Amino acid sequence: MSEALALTRLAISRSRTPALCLIAIIVIGTSIGAMLELILRDGTRTDLPWLGVLMVWSFLPAGFATFVLFDFSSGKSVGLIDSNCDRFILRSPIQSWKIAMVPLVLKTLWISILWLIFVTFIRYATAEPVPRLIPCFAFSAVAIWAMAVAWRPMQWPWLRFVILPFAAVASYGVLILYVNSLNIQFVRWRLAAFWFSTIFTIVNFVFAAFAALRAIELARTSPDGIIPAVAKRSTGAKAKWWSYWMDGADQRRDFTRPIRALAWYEFAGTRDRLTRTITWMVIPSILLLTLVFPLHAVSVTFAVVGFAVWGGVAVSGANMVDTEGSSMLSPFLGPIPMTDAAIAWTRFAVSIAMMMAIFSCLSIVFVGWSAWPSNRQIWFEWALTQAESLGGRDQWFSIGVRLSTMIVVTVSAAILGSTAGLAWTSMAGRDWLAIAVVAGVTIVGLGMVGWFAMWFARQTDWDTTMAKLREMSHWIAPVIITMLVAKAVAATWVAVALVRANFASTGAAALITIGWLLPVALVGTVLAFCNPFAAIQTWHCVAFAIWVFPLSGILGMPIAMSYNRHR
């Protein structure tokens, strides 16, 4: 077997499970989009904007995952001075250019295939001339810069968190210039913008590839080596803060309670990925969304999906797994004197807090959008349209604020609730179980949406359709009550099984239930207060909050943890 083929198989095997999950999401999304397109498109319609939004939801996670897929990362903190490339790879008798080029080619192929498929759907849905080739080089360059910066030994580790945001903003900014170059009125400026952005993008890609190769050579053969021999360590206050923040989880610390030690270990395993997510993804996205992209349904969808995915990426590092990426727990967690409930619920609390912290950065984007007069005008027009449809034109500002708050709270609760509801699958320690549950829930949810869309598309008379919807609305209350009863039965059954198996005491189960009631009461109260629709009653808002936040899944986490811990 050739060295390049061996490296390719190694890089693919290290990213096989997440890549398959992302491919499954893309296949499901594109299949539903194609099916709905065949049903909804007619001969007179020129665009399908909803198809573009669906494609964004389907392809965006796979695009963001390029930063970590097909890489030879050692898994250590990028806040350290040494190279982040795997030591086994660096010390193997393989030429440096092969080590650098294999992940570079795989990342470029992954991004190019995703972008070309995505652009095909976007061109078909919106009839817009979205470019094909240059964005592949632009997106690939940013991913390669991230790899090169992580591989290169640094005398000052904080430089990594400065170089990559600068490279990302420059690459994406020039790409936006390329996309909008055809809209420039002056011919000379149009040609200058087109050729400058094209040449810059290609040169940037070449320099990123050279930087990756140089990083491998520096880590392997330079006198500085894997760890720079001349690394300067400052003893100032800033250096001490940085050292405290980026120190590994294995640093000795004293805690009065085991649960605090576990929480610190969970946080210490997360903060490196959290720091990278904030500096490499969150901050550049905030700048691009607020300074470049206007307020629009697609940009709002991009922001919501992006920050939700980045929250998941940030907490995925806190899984206490072995170095091979298995879902099995680290060996030291088996004999520690802590119950399965304490381990499971502590991990969940730290992870969900980190995800909420990342997702809350979405509010900065909304504040940035509101600073632009053009965005405010767009929102004013939208609020006025919604107020007129509700018969409250005189109160258009209040209705707009309430409706916006309601949408943001509903989407945020749905994202956090679905994440919490599926957390028990990762604690069970079986990849096939997590993939099967996520795929099943996705298929059922999207299948229901697709069924309603197909039914609605077949209707030919508006009055008849509204009459059928009013008739169907009579079943809403019984369906909601049935679902709440089923949820209560499932939560009770899990709580009883939890107590009977001595995984947790009755008081602990009651305390978790009380903690679950807090976000339910908060979300239900906010939705009921902001609700501008007469057809939606207060108990509907409370029922939504009860249903969207999982209780049986949280109560069942110790059972899944026991299955993983004692197998």
Side-chain angles (χ1 to χ4, degrees):
M1 181 183 297
S2 64
E3 295 176 347
L5 180 59
L7 289 173
T8 302
R9 294 183 61 180
L10 176 62
I12 295 176
S13 64
R14 289 165 65 103
S15 305
R16 180 173 52 194
T17 300
L20 290 176
C21 295
L22 294 170
I23 292 174
I25 295 174
I26 293 173
V27 171
I28 293 173
T30 52
S31 300
I32 292 176
M35 179 183 63
L36 295 180
E37 191 278 335
L38 293 175
I39 297 172
L40 297 180
R41 176 176 282 272
D42 53 36
T44 60
R45 195 164 184 177
T46 59
D47 60 3
L48 291 172
W50 59 266
L51 184 59
V53 176
L54 179 61
M55 292 303 101
V56 170
W57 282 82
S58 302
F59 283 84
L60 201 59
F64 290 145
T66 310
F67 285 97
V68 294
L69 291 179
F70 313 117
D71 201 346
F72 294 138
S73 172
S74 63
K76 293 185 178 181
S77 172
V78 294
L80 303 177
I81 60 177
D82 54 334
S83 172
N84 191 252
C85 188
D86 190 273
R87 299 294 186 273
F88 172 79
I89 300 295
L90 291 176
R91 293 166 180 165
S92 60
I94 302 176
Q95 293 177 304
S96 298
W97 70 268
K98 293 181 180 180
I99 299 176
M101 289 301 108
V102 166
L104 184 151
V105 172
L106 291 176
K107 287 176 180 287
T108 304
L109 287 176
W110 174 267
I111 292 176
S112 300
I113 293 173
L114 291 178
W115 179 254
L116 292 176
I117 298 175
F118 175 75
V119 167
T120 301
F121 277 94
I122 293 298
R123 281 173 169 257
Y124 184 72
T126 62
E128 293 290 337
V130 183
R132 292 189 178 97
L133 184 61
I134 294 300
C136 296
F137 286 100
F139 294 136
S140 300
V142 177
I144 296 170
W145 273 117
M147 182 176 65
V149 170
W151 284 353
R152 183 182 180 90
M154 293 283 186
Q155 296 184 21
W156 298 281
W158 53 266
L159 282 176
R160 291 193 179 103
F161 302 97
V162 176
I163 296 174
L164 186 60
F166 176 79
V169 172
S171 301
Y172 293 148
V174 173
L175 176 60
I176 293 170
L177 176 64
Y178 174 83
V179 174
N180 295 316
S181 60
L182 297 178
N183 299 327
I184 300 176
Q185 296 180 356
F186 299 100
V187 178
R188 292 184 178 179
W189 286 104
R190 183 190 310 162
L191 293 176
F194 174 82
W195 286 111
F196 168 77
S197 56
T198 302
I199 296 174
F200 178 89
T201 301
I202 296 176
V203 172
N204 184 38
F205 179 84
V206 174
F207 270 91
F210 177 78
L213 175 60
R214 180 58 183 156
I216 291 295
E217 293 176 346
L218 180 64
R220 302 182 76 185
T221 60
S222 172
D224 289 344
I226 296 175
I227 300 177
V230 294
K232 298 181 180 180
R233 297 179 178 271
S234 174
T235 57
K238 293 183 179 180
K240 292 180 179 179
W241 177 88
W242 179 263
S243 176
Y244 179 82
W245 174 259
M246 299 306 299
D247 278 340
D250 54 350
Q251 183 178 3
R252 180 180 177 83
R253 295 180 182 275
D254 296 326
F255 297 92
T256 57
R257 299 177 60 186
I259 194 171
R260 293 183 179 178
L262 179 61
W264 169 255
Y265 181 91
E266 186 77 4
F267 170 74
T270 310
R271 59 184 169 178
D272 173 47
R273 193 178 294 262
L274 178 67
T275 304
R276 280 187 285 177
T277 302
I278 293 175
T279 55
W280 293 0
M281 298 181 182
V282 174
I283 294 178
S285 298
I286 291 175
L287 295 176
L288 287 173
L289 288 170
T290 55
L291 300 179
V292 178
F293 293 99
L295 181 63
H296 190 269
V298 176
S299 58
V300 172
T301 302
F302 178 89
V304 172
V305 177
F307 281 90
V309 171
W310 295 326
V313 170
V315 302
S316 63
N319 46 22
M320 291 186 284
V321 300
D322 57 12
T323 57
E324 297 180 357
S326 170
S327 57
M328 298 178 63
L329 292 172
S330 295
F332 83 93
L333 285 177
I336 62 173
M338 293 185 65
T339 62
D340 299 318
I343 297 176
W345 289 333
T346 301
R347 295 185 62 199
F348 171 73
V350 175
S351 298
I352 203 68
M354 293 294 176
M355 182 176 179
M356 292 176 62
I358 294 293
F359 190 73
S360 63
C361 295
L362 183 63
S363 60
I364 303 177
V365 177
F366 289 129
V367 173
W369 274 331
S370 64
W372 294 90
S374 58
N375 291 332
R376 292 199 298 268
Q377 184 62 31
I378 293 174
W379 185 86
F380 290 158
E381 294 176 357
W382 173 82
L384 183 60
T385 302
Q386 300 301 320
E388 290 177 348
S389 64
L390 295 173
R393 181 182 176 85
D394 296 337
Q395 300 178 352
W396 64 271
F397 185 81
S398 175
I399 291 177
V401 172
R402 290 161 58 190
L403 191 58
S404 300
T405 305
M406 189 176 183
I407 293 174
V408 172
V409 172
T410 301
V411 174
S412 303
I415 291 175
L416 295 176
S418 60
T419 303
L422 297 174
W424 67 271
T425 60
S426 63
M427 295 185 183
R430 292 290 189 270
D431 292 336
W432 63 266
L433 177 62
I435 295 173
V437 172
V438 172
V441 172
T442 303
I443 291 174
V444 171
L446 295 179
M448 295 176 63
V449 175
W451 171 83
F452 179 79
M454 288 187 293
W455 174 85
F456 191 79
R458 292 192 180 99
Q459 307 306 311
T460 57
D461 183 71
W462 179 258
D463 295 333
T464 305
T465 303
M466 291 297 100
K468 291 181 179 179
L469 288 176
R470 284 191 293 269
E471 183 179 353
M472 293 171 59
S473 65
H474 296 158
W475 293 93
I476 293 179
V479 170
I480 292 177
I481 294 174
T482 302
M483 294 172 65
L484 293 180
V485 171
K487 185 181 182 71
V489 171
T492 303
W493 180 81
V494 173
V496 171
L498 188 70
V499 174
R500 285 184 176 180
N502 293 324
F503 290 134
S505 63
T506 305
L511 186 62
I512 293 297
T513 305
I514 294 174
W516 169 80
L517 287 174
L518 295 178
V520 169
L522 178 62
V523 171
T525 302
V526 172
L527 293 181
F529 177 77
C530 297
N531 174 34
F533 302 99
I536 300 179
Q537 303 177 14
T538 301
W539 76 274
H540 292 154
C541 301
V542 177
F544 169 80
I546 293 175
W547 179 256
V548 76
F549 288 108
L551 180 57
S552 57
I554 297 176
L555 291 175
M557 288 178 182
I559 300 177
M561 177 61 64
S562 176
Y563 176 71
N564 189 12
R565 187 182 181 190
H566 305 294
R567 58 182 175 177

